[in-house]
Amino acid sequence: MATDSWALAVDEQEAAAESVSAVVKTSANAEKTDEEEKEDRAAQSLLNKLIRSNLVDNTNQVEVLQRDPNSPLYSVKSFEELRLKPQLLQGVYAMGFNRPSKIQENALPLMLAEPPQNLIAQSQSGTGKTAAFVLAMLSQVEPANKYPQCLCLSPTYELALQTGKVIEQMGKFYPALKLAYAVRGNKLERGQKLSEQIVIGTPGTVLDWCSKLKFIDPKKIKVFVLDEADVMIATQGHQDQSIRIQRMLPRNCQMLLFSATFEDSVWKFAQKVVPDPNVIKLKREEETLDTIKQYYVLCSSRDEKFQALCNLYGAITIAQAMIFCHTRKTASWLAAELSKEGHQVALLSGEMMVEQRAAVIERFREGKEKVLVTTNVCARGIDVEQVSVVINFDLPVDKDGNPDNETYLHRIGRTGRFGKRGLAVNMVDSKHSMNILNRIQEHFNKKIERLDTDDLDEIEKIAN
Ligand SMILES: Nc1ncnc2c1ncn2[C@@H]1O[C@H](COP(=O)(O)OP(=O)(O)OP(=O)(O)O)[C@@H](O)[C@H]1O
């Protein structure tokens, strides 16, 4: 098709699509609001926890900023060096941990020092932060004392439960140790005092339990952990509540704060909650487009995009692919069409409960399905490492309709550790999306080649 008539056709198509999307936007299936995006951060974090069974590798150096720059930098290569109580070491080994993770190497000696040190630590999810602070809590707790001594704040009930599970596993050789969940809906009788040694909960309920209801005596807390600080501050009110709780704790209480990211707002918050901190940072591995072959295909309609996709599948062997769509509606349509063609398709959709989403990703990861169709919001922050083919059925744009370069990079980029070659195919169906594609090319200064999916020889070539 000549470019002009293509452009004309897609303009008409786009105008029609826009009127449809206006209807979609006002319906319950509308694109996400900022508020929902914030909730998503908690969901994302939970998803990562649910599907992760191993540590995430990272070859970046750990950056350590010690409160006392004169004290020697101490790092451990084994858990024995930490002189943990025997039942704790037993717990660590029972979890299958042989040696400390990269962040644990530096964080554990600081956290277990005498006197215990305050710490702010940032590293991407899956690098062993939870295990590290659970170890710090368990090494200080006195199971014989029947009152709360360690307090851990989590942004949501579900995240609190996940941390609780780690405490239970790691602490299983402490028979007298008990754990309480300070979460909404967990009602205690007035006047009661908690006997559990570790309390984990969400800021609102913990604050009530420490102040109004007095179930916990904050003055007896020895270790205070604030987990997922970046998710925490995204939730209305959590920041203030956390600060109010922190103010009730004794001066010598150890304060620990963990976050996967470290934007300015998190850093400011961290400094308010953790006095005299040591700071540990582990940079996320940089993703690059260097090992990726990038193409675009010109289409004039959604059906043509689908046809192009079928042609790709007909010509090359694709072990596993991830396909990104802009809306849930397109994603469900595409998944249904691909199933009709006989593909084993998994659909990741925003309506699903977080556990259902985790199950879908898990199955895909295990190779039970070969194609994963998803919207961007659903898959943000989730690494499915083995995927070598990524299709942008719709290009990633932000809410103002500008190219979302960061998402583009995250969808198709590879880090050093998965430096395998990959293939990315972008479907372009309007002047507008061509413009987005051009801006993405400019941003990364990387050429995206045109691919004619009607030409089988050409497709075969790209696979080699
Ligand atoms: N030293 C270790 N050796 C082996 N596995 C470990 C070690 N430390 C943690 N793990 C495992 O690695 C995975 C990620 O650890 P963990 O949950 O502590 O990371 P995290 O940084 O807290 O992640 P998130 O931010 O998602 O909570 C878990 O399955 C955990 O059991």
Side-chain angles (χ1 to χ4, degrees):
M1 194 188 292
T3 317
D4 275 349
S5 62
W6 165 74
L8 215 70
V10 292
D11 279 351
E12 277 169 16
Q13 162 86 19
E14 212 179 15
E18 253 165 29
S19 60
V20 172
S21 96
V23 176
V24 172
K25 278 192 172 125
T26 50
S27 76
N29 263 355
E31 282 296 293
K32 303 215 155 193
T33 61
D34 285 355
E35 211 39 56
E36 284 174 304
E37 290 255 11
K38 283 177 188 169
E39 277 171 27
D40 261 356
R41 286 187 84 148
Q44 228 81 76
S45 188
L46 185 61
L47 263 179
N48 274 324
K49 276 185 205 284
L50 293 176
I51 57 180
R52 182 166 299 119
S53 48
N54 287 315
L55 278 173
V56 165
D57 285 337
N58 191 306
T59 51
N60 284 327
Q61 286 303 312
V62 178
E63 240 183 277
V64 186
L65 245 147
Q66 283 184 295
R67 186 170 59 116
D68 175 5
N70 296 325
S71 78
L73 191 59
Y74 182 44
S75 80
V76 284
K77 297 282 178 213
S78 73
F79 287 109
E80 283 84 0
E81 287 172 68
L82 293 165
R83 296 202 188 83
L84 301 169
K85 291 176 195 158
Q87 62 270 48
L88 186 50
L89 194 60
Q90 229 181 326
V92 168
Y93 287 143
M95 290 186 79
F97 299 177
N98 297 321
R99 40 157 302 162
S101 72
K102 209 154 178 173
I103 189 111
Q104 290 165 1
E105 281 180 10
N106 298 88
L108 290 172
L110 281 172
M111 288 196 282
L112 305 178
E114 218 21 88
Q117 311 254 320
N118 290 349
L119 176 73
I120 295 178
Q122 175 258 324
S123 69
Q124 84 188 74
S125 82
T127 45
K129 299 187 294 296
T130 308
F133 70 72
V134 168
L135 228 151
M137 291 200 285
L138 289 175
S139 65
Q140 290 225 41
V141 78
E142 308 270 0
N145 295 339
K146 307 286 182 214
Y147 54 78
Q149 303 150 45
C150 305
L151 183 58
C152 173
L153 299 185
S154 269
T156 65
Y157 171 54
E158 291 77 14
L159 287 166
L161 279 188
Q162 292 306 314
T163 304
K165 278 189 198 155
V166 180
I167 301 175
E168 269 160 23
Q169 278 176 305
M170 207 180 267
K172 75 173 178 191
F173 298 100
Y174 287 91
L177 186 73
K178 293 276 179 304
L179 182 62
Y181 290 96
V183 290
R184 210 179 298 155
N186 206 355
K187 299 258 180 289
L188 303 180
E189 271 176 43
R190 276 195 177 261
Q192 195 179 332
K193 290 270 178 253
L194 282 184
S195 59
E196 288 84 351
Q197 299 88 342
I198 301 183
V199 181
I200 163 160
T202 47
T205 310
V206 170
L207 183 62
D208 283 350
W209 286 21
C210 286
S211 55
K212 239 183 4 213
L213 300 166
K214 299 200 163 34
F215 296 149
I216 302 170
D217 179 356
K219 290 281 167 261
K220 291 187 173 154
I221 300 294
K222 296 196 284 188
V223 185
F224 174 63
V225 179
L226 201 144
D227 192 20
E228 313 247 7
D230 49 352
V231 183
M232 199 74 103
I233 64 165
T235 313
Q236 198 74 31
H238 275 174
Q239 196 167 157
D240 286 349
Q241 288 159 343
S242 305
I243 294 170
R244 285 173 62 196
I245 296 165
Q246 190 266 357
R247 300 279 185 267
M248 287 186 249
L249 304 172
R251 265 176 183 278
N252 61 355
C253 171
Q254 182 178 31
M255 320 257 176
L256 309 168
L257 178 140
F258 295 83
S259 184
T261 59
F262 233 170
E263 52 268 26
D264 252 13
S265 50
V266 179
W267 179 234
K268 282 197 190 115
F269 172 57
Q271 286 175 307
K272 276 191 209 155
V273 199
V274 185
D276 302 326
N278 296 280
V279 181
I280 295 189
K281 289 189 206 174
L282 179 58
K283 270 205 251 138
R284 205 191 157 88
E285 281 213 80
E286 296 271 327
E287 283 154 327
T288 78
L289 297 173
D290 288 348
T291 52
I292 308 295
K293 292 201 256 179
Q294 302 175 73
Y295 294 93
Y296 75 93
V297 185
L298 278 185
C299 309
S300 64
S301 65
R302 189 172 75 166
D303 291 329
E304 256 193 54
K305 286 184 180 181
F306 177 64
Q307 194 48 53
L309 193 58
C310 293
N311 291 355
L312 269 179
Y313 266 98
I316 56 176
T317 312
I318 299 178
Q320 273 197 307
M322 259 175 112
I323 307 181
F324 290 92
C325 301
H326 189 56
T327 62
R328 294 178 194 174
K329 213 172 130 199
T330 309
S332 344
W333 169 83
L334 183 60
E337 292 299 309
L338 282 167
S339 299
K340 280 189 219 154
E341 290 288 312
H343 292 284
Q344 296 157 277
V345 187
L347 173 67
L348 204 59
S349 164
E351 296 101 337
M352 290 176 174
M353 304 283 290
V354 84
E355 285 80 5
Q356 289 174 310
R357 286 194 247 166
V360 168
I361 298 171
E362 177 88 67
R363 285 175 57 84
F364 181 68
R365 180 172 290 220
E366 287 167 2
K368 294 198 173 113
E369 270 98 23
K370 306 291 179 222
V371 192
L372 180 67
V373 180
T374 174
T375 59
N376 183 50
V377 171
C378 259
R380 188 177 300 158
I382 291 162
D383 300 309
V384 183
E385 299 124 20
Q386 77 271 35
V387 177
S388 56
V389 180
V390 173
I391 315 270
N392 283 323
F393 199 77
D394 297 303
L395 290 170
V397 286
D398 63 19
K399 55 181 187 310
D400 303 319
N402 292 316
D404 184 346
N405 296 314
E406 199 188 321
T407 298
Y408 185 84
L409 180 65
H410 189 64
R411 282 183 187 177
I412 68 178
R414 291 280 179 281
T415 61
R417 78 201 129 105
F418 307 116
K420 296 178 280 199
R421 286 195 325 173
L423 178 65
V425 181
N426 298 289
M427 305 284 182
V428 171
D429 69 350
S430 65
K431 262 200 267 184
H432 177 63
S433 54
M434 193 65 224
N435 176 276
I436 302 281
L437 188 90
N438 285 332
R439 286 162 69 191
I440 291 175
Q441 290 194 79
E442 273 165 34
H443 178 86
F444 292 107
N445 197 14
K446 283 252 154 24
K447 186 144 179 55
I448 305 179
E449 303 282 348
R450 178 161 174 199
L451 175 69
D452 179 358
T453 46
D454 291 329
D455 183 343
L456 291 187
D457 290 342
E458 202 184 321
I459 306 182
E460 274 170 24
K461 262 189 255 152
I462 68 166
N464 299 321

